[in-house]
Amino acid sequence: MNNLQLIYAMKQDQYISKFNCKVCSLDEISSLSLPIENYMIIYNTKNFPHSGHWCLMHRKEQRVPVTFDSFGDTPQHIVASFLIETSPNQKYIKNSLQVQDYSMTTCGFYVLYLAYHLARGLNLTEILSIFKGKPLLYIESYVVSFVKTHFSLH
Protein backbone atom coordinates (compact mmCIF):
# COMPACT_ATOMS: atom_id res chain seq x y z
CA MET A 1 0.00 0.00 0.00
CA ASN A 2 1.39 3.41 -0.85
CA ASN A 3 1.07 6.81 0.81
CA LEU A 4 -1.66 8.05 -1.56
CA GLN A 5 -3.85 5.04 -0.82
CA LEU A 6 -3.42 5.63 2.91
CA ILE A 7 -4.25 9.33 2.62
CA TYR A 8 -7.35 8.54 0.57
CA ALA A 9 -8.50 5.88 3.03
CA MET A 10 -8.03 8.17 6.04
CA LYS A 11 -10.01 10.97 4.39
CA GLN A 12 -12.95 8.76 3.47
CA ASP A 13 -13.57 7.51 7.02
CA GLN A 14 -15.81 9.91 8.93
CA TYR A 15 -14.19 9.10 12.29
CA ILE A 16 -10.52 9.04 11.25
CA SER A 17 -10.88 12.27 9.27
CA LYS A 18 -11.84 14.16 12.46
CA PHE A 19 -8.22 13.83 13.60
CA ASN A 20 -5.26 15.86 12.36
CA CYS A 21 -4.11 13.19 9.93
CA LYS A 22 -0.74 12.91 8.28
CA VAL A 23 1.10 10.29 6.23
CA CYS A 24 4.83 10.85 6.21
CA SER A 25 8.29 9.32 6.19
CA LEU A 26 10.25 8.72 9.36
CA ASP A 27 12.53 11.64 8.48
CA GLU A 28 9.60 14.07 8.41
CA ILE A 29 8.37 13.32 11.95
CA SER A 30 10.71 15.75 13.70
CA SER A 31 9.47 18.63 11.55
CA LEU A 32 5.75 17.99 11.95
CA SER A 33 3.77 20.93 13.20
CA LEU A 34 0.54 19.39 14.42
CA PRO A 35 -1.51 20.18 17.48
CA ILE A 36 -0.35 18.00 20.33
CA GLU A 37 -3.82 16.51 20.68
CA ASN A 38 -6.10 14.63 18.33
CA TYR A 39 -3.58 13.42 15.80
CA MET A 40 -3.32 10.26 13.74
CA ILE A 41 0.02 9.88 11.98
CA ILE A 42 0.90 7.00 9.70
CA TYR A 43 4.62 6.97 9.06
CA ASN A 44 6.98 4.88 7.00
CA THR A 45 10.17 3.60 8.57
CA LYS A 46 12.02 4.22 5.30
CA ASN A 47 11.65 6.66 2.43
CA PHE A 48 8.30 6.01 0.85
CA PRO A 49 6.30 5.39 -1.32
CA HIS A 50 7.83 2.11 -2.53
CA SER A 51 9.66 0.63 0.43
CA GLY A 52 9.69 0.45 4.17
CA HIS A 53 7.16 -0.44 6.80
CA TRP A 54 4.02 1.52 7.82
CA CYS A 55 3.46 2.24 11.51
CA LEU A 56 1.05 4.51 13.40
CA MET A 57 1.05 7.14 16.14
CA HIS A 58 -2.18 8.37 17.70
CA ARG A 59 -3.31 10.69 20.46
CA LYS A 60 -6.84 11.67 21.35
CA GLU A 61 -7.43 14.68 23.59
CA GLN A 62 -5.43 14.44 26.82
CA ARG A 63 -4.98 10.68 26.66
CA VAL A 64 -1.64 8.93 26.63
CA PRO A 65 -0.34 8.63 23.04
CA VAL A 66 -0.14 5.27 21.30
CA THR A 67 2.38 3.90 18.83
CA PHE A 68 1.72 0.77 16.79
CA ASP A 69 4.03 -1.46 14.80
CA SER A 70 2.50 -4.64 13.40
CA PHE A 71 5.80 -6.45 13.97
CA GLY A 72 5.62 -5.52 17.66
CA ASP A 73 8.99 -3.75 17.44
CA THR A 74 10.06 -0.90 19.71
CA PRO A 75 9.53 2.52 18.09
CA GLN A 76 12.54 4.26 16.60
CA HIS A 77 14.19 7.01 18.64
CA ILE A 78 12.69 9.82 16.53
CA VAL A 79 9.18 8.41 17.11
CA ALA A 80 9.69 8.01 20.85
CA SER A 81 11.06 11.57 21.04
CA PHE A 82 8.02 12.95 19.18
CA LEU A 83 5.62 11.11 21.49
CA ILE A 84 7.41 12.31 24.61
CA GLU A 85 7.61 15.88 23.28
CA THR A 86 3.90 16.02 22.44
CA SER A 87 2.81 14.63 25.77
CA PRO A 88 5.06 15.92 28.55
CA ASN A 89 4.73 14.16 31.89
CA GLN A 90 3.14 11.14 30.23
CA LYS A 91 4.58 7.97 28.85
CA TYR A 92 3.35 6.46 25.63
CA ILE A 93 1.75 3.10 24.99
CA LYS A 94 3.22 0.73 22.43
CA ASN A 95 2.20 -2.70 21.29
CA SER A 96 4.58 -5.56 21.84
CA LEU A 97 2.33 -8.18 20.24
CA GLN A 98 3.52 -9.22 16.81
CA VAL A 99 0.48 -9.50 14.53
CA GLN A 100 2.23 -9.53 11.14
CA ASP A 101 4.76 -12.01 9.79
CA TYR A 102 8.06 -10.39 8.76
CA SER A 103 7.76 -11.92 5.29
CA MET A 104 4.43 -10.21 4.54
CA THR A 105 3.90 -6.74 3.04
CA THR A 106 0.49 -5.84 4.46
CA CYS A 107 1.51 -3.32 7.13
CA GLY A 108 -0.66 -0.62 5.51
CA PHE A 109 -3.72 -2.76 6.14
CA TYR A 110 -2.77 -3.12 9.81
CA VAL A 111 -2.42 0.62 10.39
CA LEU A 112 -5.78 1.28 8.72
CA TYR A 113 -7.37 -1.46 10.82
CA LEU A 114 -5.96 0.09 13.97
CA ALA A 115 -6.84 3.66 12.92
CA TYR A 116 -10.43 2.57 12.25
CA HIS A 117 -10.83 1.20 15.77
CA LEU A 118 -8.84 3.88 17.62
CA ALA A 119 -10.93 6.58 15.94
CA ARG A 120 -14.04 4.89 17.29
CA GLY A 121 -12.78 5.01 20.87
CA LEU A 122 -11.31 1.55 21.44
CA ASN A 123 -7.93 1.34 23.12
CA LEU A 124 -4.90 -0.59 21.89
CA THR A 125 -5.39 -3.48 24.32
CA GLU A 126 -9.03 -3.94 23.31
CA ILE A 127 -8.19 -3.87 19.62
CA LEU A 128 -5.33 -6.36 19.81
CA SER A 129 -6.91 -8.73 22.35
CA ILE A 130 -8.80 -10.66 19.67
CA PHE A 131 -5.49 -11.63 18.07
CA LYS A 132 -3.74 -13.13 21.09
CA GLY A 133 -2.87 -16.76 20.50
CA LYS A 134 -3.99 -16.69 16.86
CA PRO A 135 -1.66 -17.70 14.00
CA LEU A 136 -0.19 -14.76 12.09
CA LEU A 137 -1.68 -15.92 8.77
CA TYR A 138 -5.17 -16.01 10.32
CA ILE A 139 -4.69 -12.49 11.69
CA GLU A 140 -3.47 -11.21 8.35
CA SER A 141 -6.40 -12.71 6.46
CA TYR A 142 -8.84 -11.18 8.95
CA VAL A 143 -7.23 -7.70 8.88
CA VAL A 144 -6.93 -7.53 5.08
CA SER A 145 -10.52 -8.68 4.64
CA PHE A 146 -11.77 -6.13 7.19
CA VAL A 147 -9.93 -3.24 5.57
CA LYS A 148 -11.04 -4.17 2.07
CA THR A 149 -14.64 -4.29 3.35
CA HIS A 150 -14.51 -0.95 5.18
CA PHE A 151 -12.30 1.15 2.89
CA SER A 152 -12.28 1.84 -0.83
CA LEU A 153 -8.66 1.35 -1.79
CA HIS A 154 -7.57 2.69 -5.16
Side-chain angles (χ1 to χ4, degrees):
M1 189 172 300
N2 65 40
N3 57 325
L4 295 177
Q5 290 171 306
L6 289 166
I7 292 166
Y8 179 75
M10 291 173 81
K11 286 181 179 179
Q12 68 177 286
D13 184 89
Q14 66 178 343
Y15 294 96
I16 295 173
S17 62
K18 291 179 183 176
F19 289 86
N20 296 297
C21 297
K22 180 79 174 164
V23 176
C24 65
S25 69
L26 187 63
D27 296 337
E28 294 174 301
I29 290 174
S30 61
S31 62
L32 289 177
S33 58
L34 291 172
I36 61 169
E37 298 179 352
N38 295 324
Y39 61 75
M40 183 117 17
I41 303 166
I42 294 177
Y43 65 94
N44 197 306
T45 59
K46 299 214 165 106
N47 292 326
F48 63 95
H50 302 294
S51 66
H53 174 63
W54 293 111
C55 298
L56 180 132
M57 290 186 286
H58 167 70
R59 184 170 187 212
K60 182 177 182 179
E61 299 164 354
Q62 294 293 322
R63 296 183 187 165
V64 176
V66 170
T67 180
F68 171 79
D69 179 332
S70 56
F71 295 144
D73 292 341
T74 300
Q76 295 87 342
H77 177 74
I78 194 165
V79 173
S81 296
F82 178 86
L83 292 167
I84 291 166
E85 181 182 312
T86 59
S87 60
N89 303 321
Q90 293 186 22
K91 295 185 178 192
Y92 59 87
I93 299 169
K94 70 173 195 72
N95 69 301
S96 55
L97 178 67
Q98 180 183 357
V99 292
Q100 179 186 352
D101 188 275
Y102 285 107
S103 66
M104 304 309 275
T105 58
T106 51
C107 49
F109 289 91
Y110 285 90
V111 294
L112 285 177
Y113 177 86
L114 197 78
Y116 179 94
H117 290 90
L118 286 170
R120 285 157 175 79
L122 278 83
N123 67 43
L124 187 63
T125 304
E126 293 169 326
I127 298 166
L128 297 178
S129 67
I130 67 165
F131 299 134
K132 286 189 179 173
K134 302 279 192 303
L136 295 180
L137 290 177
Y138 166 84
I139 298 169
E140 176 152 349
S141 175
Y142 178 84
V143 167
V144 169
S145 176
F146 181 94
V147 169
K148 284 182 175 180
T149 300
H150 291 83
F151 293 93
S152 174
L153 303 173
H154 293 23

